[in-house]
Amino acid sequence: MTKNEFDYKDYIRARFFPHIWCPGCGHGIVLSTLLRAVHELGLDKNEIVMTSGIGCSSRISGYVDFHSLHTIHGRALAFATGVKLSKPKLKAIVPMGDGDALAIGGNHFIHAARRNIDITAIVMNNKIYGMTGGQFSPLSGQGKKATTAPYTTIDNDFDVVELAKAAGATFVARSTVYHANEAKDVLKKGIDHKGFSVVEILTQCPTYYGRKNKEGNAAQMMEVFKTNTVKIGSKKLEKNPGLIQRGIFVQDTEKLEYCEAYDKTIETAMKGKA
Amino acid sequence: MKQQNNIRFVQGNEACVEGAVYAGLDFFAGYPITPSTEIAEHLAQRLPEKGKKFIQMEDEIASMAAIIGASLTGNKVMTATSGPGFSLKQEALGYACMAEIPCVIANVQRGGPSTGNPTHVSQGDVNQARWGTHGDHSIIALTASNHQDVFKITVEAFNLAETYRTPVILLLDEVVGHMREKLVIPEPGELPVVGRLRTSVPKDVDYHPYLPREDGRLPMSDFGEQHRYNVTGLFHDMWGFPSNNPKVVNALLTHLVDKIENNVNDIAMYKEYWMEDAEYILISYGSSARSAIHMARNRRARGFKIGVLELQTIWPFPTEIVREKCADAKAVLVVEMNMGQVVTQVRNAVYNPNKVFLANRIDGQLISPTDIKTVLRMIQGRGV
């Protein structure tokens, strides 16, 4: 980048605006945070492929001036695996919603982590299915109201961070849209990390989750991110273990990245032939 | 001339692998399933030797998704599967139709529905190849009955995928896939190989990835190169951006169908045996065509005027070609190993559907020349 000043216009496809997100949706903050991260990393737009699945969050790929692949529900990581392995010089960024990442896409999520392929998976966690009208997601948690849980949910939720760690992701982090600057720094590190990175960003859906569960408007929901989360290892945790931790949980640079490992396979195969 | 090291004794699945390599396959993603697995196994060996990519994905859906992603970076791509896996691939296959992404899907058919008859032969996926996805679109599906042809149509599958920017399905079957026979690998240049058509639009000029040229073709730009655009499975405008404008939707769907249906005669591949004066015509494809040809040869030797039309392009169905070829036939006998999937197309094609009959076998066993002869004798009113 020749320009040092961040100008969002350099990164969006103005032709495709206005976006489809509801007023108060947190996804816009994720978009802006992501673009700032890309800008500060000084990445060339031509080296970024953004792949997404289906849902409100997945529309993000169309709005950005990168190579963009808006695919089918839950399979974004599998499409991105094809992109990345076939052209490893590309930066693969995959924004996903709750269902995309961990319901229909759960299998791809754990296997991408297991492979440690160099993809940055951003889980935009708003605990609800927004685009289809407010059904509960695997991240909603128990006792929540949703259009498919009129008597409240009985399903347990996932902890994205724990799941990613267990599956072998070599970079795992969490932040929120309230902590936009922190989220940006985490994203920068995630994108820069060579290997599978998972960045969970808590975001709000005032239209469905907030309204159904009486959590107030967007500002009030963001306020909850402020009060309910703490930095990893914070002393506040001792008093209140129910608080959600933010920060970088895993940053492992030892484990071999998949495309690099594949290059070694090629080397071996070619030697065998020579 | 002394032959080079280009004669092999191989399985049909290996012939498919060699055809794909000849066509310039860069990237394969797959998931093991009988009876297609040897395609993945051989490519796991062959691709890295050439510095190219093989990946065993976590499932069939992921495999289909991965090859689409890889195709967009400018690679020739393929996956291979059988019935249940083919079912799983359908959503992403529809995506490739909608987003117009060249790719090849080999389906080495087994009996179905469901897990069916994994190690036995069937041709039951003809209709699934055409109608497995939701919505309207056209598709190309090819088949072959011997290993030399498997090689050839595999190369052709890649050529058609690139030419029409569409998924192309190779409908092989278990007998062809697992049988071993001779394969002569053509020299480079002997068979035409169509490369990716890339846009010549310069760097700072607005590139319209989905605006067809006058000849209907859509030049592509590789991900990672200078043109950045959006690819989506939603109805989309000429920039690839989602649109539900009725005019845009109508034009795109029409284009997806027309680009293939308007070129049926260019796409259609078939073989003819003793058709010049044939009174009775056998129409068949894949391994069942071998039995049809064998039976016709025997009957010819006894003076019966029997011909065989072996279809190698099943979709788009070569309706006009079949109609013309069968115009003077006393009867047409379709030989296939399903409940009658191609026979329906033949009945639609010919002037008189009442003269079209079916000789089939659906028990996992290869249909034999005797099976076909029995049906033919009944049609001829000669008793069994």
Side-chain angles (χ1 to χ4, degrees):
Chain A
M1 289 283 120
T2 46
K3 271 203 291 183
N4 285 327
E5 245 346 74
F6 172 75
D7 184 351
Y8 69 90
K9 286 182 194 145
D10 292 337
Y11 292 97
I12 61 161
R13 292 171 171 149
R15 178 191 287 138
F16 301 151
F17 277 71
H19 59 69
I20 61 154
W21 296 322
C22 304
C25 173
H27 289 356
I29 301 174
V30 177
L31 171 59
S32 137
T33 303
L34 179 65
L35 295 182
R36 281 167 202 274
V38 166
H39 178 79
E40 288 182 18
L41 286 170
L43 299 174
D44 180 343
K45 293 192 281 185
N46 278 343
E47 61 179 315
I48 302 174
V49 176
M50 189 176 276
T51 308
S52 62
I54 293 297
C56 304
S57 60
S58 73
R59 292 300 182 102
I60 198 171
S61 67
Y63 302 141
V64 292
D65 186 21
F66 307 136
H67 303 283
S68 60
L69 183 54
H70 176 232
T71 66
I72 55 180
H73 191 37
R75 318 298 173 193
L77 284 170
F79 281 80
T81 298
V83 171
K84 180 69 191 179
L85 180 60
S86 65
K87 215 173 201 176
K89 68 167 191 180
L90 295 171
K91 285 266 176 209
I93 302 176
V94 181
M96 295 178 286
D98 323 358
D100 231 13
L102 292 165
I104 187 167
N107 199 32
H108 308 304
F109 184 85
I110 58 175
H111 287 281
R114 173 179 63 82
R115 284 188 193 104
N116 194 32
I117 187 161
D118 186 17
I119 293 173
T120 306
I122 305 168
V123 183
M124 296 156 74
N125 179 6
N126 60 10
K127 297 176 182 267
I128 200 87
Y129 288 148
M131 189 167 269
T132 43
Q135 299 78 26
F136 67 87
S137 90
L139 303 180
S140 295
Q142 285 182 339
K144 301 298 176 190
K145 279 213 161 191
T147 51
T148 45
Y151 309 109
T152 72
T153 48
I154 56 169
D155 290 43
N156 291 303
D157 59 348
F158 279 130
D159 182 324
V160 181
V161 166
E162 292 303 321
L163 184 70
K165 276 159 75 177
T170 49
F171 183 98
V172 182
R174 178 191 285 135
S175 191
T176 86
V177 289
Y178 178 85
H179 306 87
N181 272 327
E182 176 194 282
K184 181 196 71 188
D185 291 337
V186 165
L187 276 171
K188 276 169 71 178
K189 290 189 177 120
I191 294 168
D192 225 17
H193 175 77
K194 196 144 200 73
F196 190 68
S197 359
V198 176
V199 180
E200 181 190 12
I201 301 181
L202 303 178
T203 169
Q204 74 280 4
C205 174
T207 305
Y208 288 111
Y209 190 83
R211 188 164 52 86
K212 284 260 168 201
N213 290 293
K214 302 202 169 24
E215 290 203 3
N217 61 24
Q220 287 165 319
M221 290 181 80
M222 287 175 72
E223 200 62 40
V224 174
F225 295 146
K226 182 187 167 194
T227 51
N228 270 10
T229 65
V230 285
K231 285 202 172 165
I232 294 174
S234 161
K235 285 205 169 151
K236 285 186 195 164
L237 268 175
E238 288 164 18
K239 279 188 204 155
N240 191 353
L243 293 173
I244 299 164
Q245 297 188 72
R246 303 190 322 268
I248 297 168
F249 297 82
V250 178
Q251 196 166 13
D252 170 8
T253 51
E254 296 294 303
K255 207 166 160 187
L256 196 58
E257 192 274 327
Y258 192 79
C259 300
E260 288 182 348
Y262 194 87
D263 285 344
K264 294 197 169 169
T265 301
I266 288 180
E267 228 173 84
T268 311
M270 285 178 146
K271 253 185 227 157
K273 214 53 195 165
Chain B
M1 210 176 90
K2 194 102 178 121
Q3 286 291 352
Q4 306 282 324
N5 186 23
N6 63 347
I7 300 180
R8 311 272 170 85
F9 183 63
V10 294
Q11 287 191 335
N13 285 340
E14 289 173 73
C16 177
V17 165
E18 293 307 322
V21 170
Y22 186 94
L25 176 66
D26 297 297
F27 186 98
F28 178 95
Y31 188 82
I33 181 169
T34 305
S36 76
T37 308
E38 294 82 2
I39 295 178
E41 288 172 348
H42 286 278
L43 283 169
Q45 174 86 32
R46 300 279 275 122
L47 289 175
E49 286 172 359
K50 295 174 167 289
K52 295 176 173 182
K53 308 288 169 75
F54 168 93
I55 185 169
Q56 180 169 316
M57 293 298 286
E58 55 272 22
D59 60 36
E60 293 286 6
I61 302 171
S63 309
M64 188 66 212
I67 66 165
I68 293 172
S71 183
L72 281 162
T73 67
N75 284 303
K76 286 196 175 178
V77 301
M78 180 185 191
T79 184
T81 187
S82 187
F86 193 50
S87 298
L88 288 175
K89 289 182 192 298
Q90 292 295 336
E91 187 195 5
L93 207 154
Y95 180 90
C97 291
M98 179 62 115
E100 301 188 70
I101 296 164
C103 53
V104 174
I105 302 101
N107 173 8
V108 187
Q109 298 167 87
R110 62 203 262 172
S114 188
T115 338
N117 213 347
T119 53
H120 289 73
V121 72
S122 164
Q123 293 171 326
D125 300 347
V126 170
N127 283 341
Q128 195 193 5
R130 178 67 185 87
W131 303 110
T133 56
H134 59 281
D136 286 302
H137 61 82
S138 200
I139 196 92
I140 297 174
L142 311 177
T143 180
S145 64
N146 64 64
H147 294 9
Q148 206 59 51
D149 286 350
V150 168
F151 184 98
K152 202 185 104 196
I153 64 141
T154 303
V155 175
E156 193 55 26
F158 283 90
N159 290 348
L160 291 169
E162 295 296 339
T163 304
Y164 295 101
R165 279 192 63 170
T166 183
V168 175
I169 296 157
L170 283 174
L171 273 179
L172 305 178
D173 60 56
E174 190 274 337
V175 163
V176 166
H178 281 162
M179 174 179 63
R180 285 179 189 273
E181 65 182 6
K182 183 173 135 182
L183 171 70
V184 182
I185 296 177
E187 293 300 320
E190 220 176 296
L191 295 180
V193 169
V194 176
R196 179 74 44 100
L197 178 67
R198 292 187 171 86
T199 181
S200 57
V201 170
K203 194 176 174 200
D204 294 313
V205 177
D206 197 9
Y207 162 61
H208 300 123
Y210 289 100
L211 183 66
R213 299 197 309 197
E214 270 182 30
D215 61 0
R217 292 190 69 184
L218 290 157
M220 298 181 80
S221 175
D222 298 346
F223 272 11
E225 299 305 318
Q226 59 204 12
H227 297 293
R228 294 180 298 275
Y229 64 100
N230 188 48
V231 179
T232 179
L234 293 165
F235 280 101
H236 47 270
D237 61 20
M238 62 185 176
W239 289 284
F241 200 73
S243 169
N244 46 23
N245 177 329
K247 278 185 186 158
V248 171
V249 172
N250 183 68
L252 177 53
L253 194 47
T254 308
H255 162 75
L256 292 181
V257 172
D258 284 357
K259 70 174 180 179
I260 292 170
E261 298 300 327
N262 289 349
N263 292 295
V264 177
N265 292 345
D266 286 336
I267 298 167
M269 292 186 293
Y270 56 88
K271 288 171 102 174
E272 295 177 81
Y273 302 85
W274 314 287
M275 284 287 284
E276 319 76 52
D277 60 346
E279 291 176 351
Y280 293 89
I281 294 173
L282 307 179
I283 295 183
S284 195
Y285 54 95
S287 59
S288 54
R290 297 175 76 103
S291 297
I293 293 161
H294 184 90
M295 180 271 199
R297 185 184 288 119
N298 279 351
R299 297 273 94 190
R300 274 274 165 184
R302 288 167 175 76
F304 295 98
K305 291 183 176 171
I306 299 178
V308 179
L309 180 63
E310 181 189 344
L311 301 178
Q312 293 184 305
T313 301
I314 297 208
W315 304 112
F317 194 76
T319 303
E320 280 172 35
I321 291 166
V322 168
R323 179 183 301 139
E324 250 169 60
K325 302 278 177 198
C326 298
D328 302 323
K330 283 187 183 162
V332 177
L333 183 55
V334 178
V335 182
E336 55 184 337
M337 288 177 287
N338 54 48
M339 295 290 274
Q341 300 191 13
V342 162
V343 75
T344 312
Q345 296 302 317
V346 174
R347 287 196 178 116
N348 283 341
V350 299
Y351 295 112
N352 181 3
N354 294 327
K355 69 177 184 184
V356 179
F357 302 88
L358 172 67
N360 68 342
R361 191 148 186 169
I362 52 165
D363 58 357
Q365 301 301 305
L366 182 66
I367 191 164
S368 71
T370 311
D371 296 332
I372 306 168
K373 190 176 79 181
T374 306
V375 180
L376 186 68
R377 285 179 67 97
M378 278 159 58
I379 296 166
Q380 289 171 327
R382 294 159 34 122
V384 182

